[in-house]
Each structure stands twice: as structure tokens, then as C-alpha cells.
Amino acid sequence: MSGHTRRRLHVLKFGGTSVGTAERIGWVARRSAASARQERTIVVVSAMAGTTDRLVSWCREAASVHDAREYDAIVASGEQVTAGLLSIVLQDMGIPARSWQGWQVTVKTDGVHGAARIVSIDATDLRKRMEQGQVAVMAGFQGIGPDRRITTLGRGGSDTSAV
């Protein structure tokens, strides 16, 4: 089935426990591939289980008082790793996939680091790729603020990204 004939959009969201190991990412990839064979698919992922807590801990160990912009840059990296890993597993299965970070989709936020609110989303490029049959694997929990810095949506932000 060509990408141009698929009309429905299926959004899958997988939290940290679901993508917590390479084996679990393989399961998520198989589920995502099954969806992608039927309809346009976006997969929103969280950081692997325990990753965000570990990144937060490193920030606290590094400095008791830290720049919220740098904090967001650090803690957003967990979702980026998961999105990249899932994308390469899907590619290995023969499924065209690409990881997308919040700034690449252009999830614009209000710029409140650590608890940002989504202001707008410009998914033009993402839609084009999906119409061509590519699976979009989106790093949840993040966007880009007015200062062009990564922002995070707070705990549970990957759920917000999926919505």
C-alpha cells in the first residue's frame, strides 16, 4: 500500500517501561510496524525506564543551582535516545522510519523551562514524510521555546506530546 492511499492517522505512545530495554524496544517496533502497514503512524516515546531520573540526578550532583535551560537540554536527551533507537530497529525491519525531536516538528512552547506549555505545532515536514510512507518516531516531552532553546513539558510530558 503506498503512502498516498493511507488516510487514517494512528498515534501510538509508549512510556518508559515499554521501551526500558532493547528487547522491549523490539516489541514496540513490531507493534509500530504492524500499525504502519495499515495506516500513517506516529510513535511518541518516553525515555527508557529510569533514564529521566538518572539525568535529573546528574544535574543535581553537578550543581545545586543550575540554569533551567541547560537542565531541559539534559533531561530531553532521554527521549531523543529512545526515538533514535526505535527508528533504527524499524529501519532494520525494513520499515522506513525517522526520529523527530520537538524542535524538528516545531512544537513551539511558551518557554517556561521544565514546565512548558505547547503554543503551536507546525508538523508540515512530518506530514510530508508520513504521506511518503515513513513512520514518524517522535521524542515526547519536549518542544522549543521563543529563545530557540529546548523546553520540556514537565513529568508526563510525553503523554501531552502524543495528544
Side-chain angles (χ1 to χ4, degrees), residues 103-130:
W103 65 270
Q104 293 172 309
V105 177
T106 320
V107 176
K108 292 183 181 178
T109 69
D110 60 9
V112 178
H113 292 275
R117 301 254 185 233
I118 296 172
V119 173
S120 67
I121 300 172
D122 178 3
T124 304
D125 292 338
L126 181 134
R127 282 190 195 108
K128 284 182 200 172
R129 298 288 186 100
M130 289 188 340

Side-chain angles (χ1 to χ4, degrees), residues 7 13-15 20 32 38 45 51 61 63 71 77-78 81-82 88 106 108 115 130 133-134 143-144 149 155:
R7 294 288 177 231
K13 193 276 180 180
F14 296 98
S32 301
Q38 301 300 315
V45 294
T51 299
E61 287 174 25
Y71 173 88
S77 68
V81 169
T82 305
I88 63 174
T106 320
K108 292 183 181 178
M130 289 188 340
Q134 190 177 74
I144 186 165
R149 299 288 305 259
R155 294 298 247 188

Side-chain angles (χ1 to χ4, degrees), residues 31 52 85 95:
R31 175 69 183 91
T52 301
L85 288 171
I95 302 294

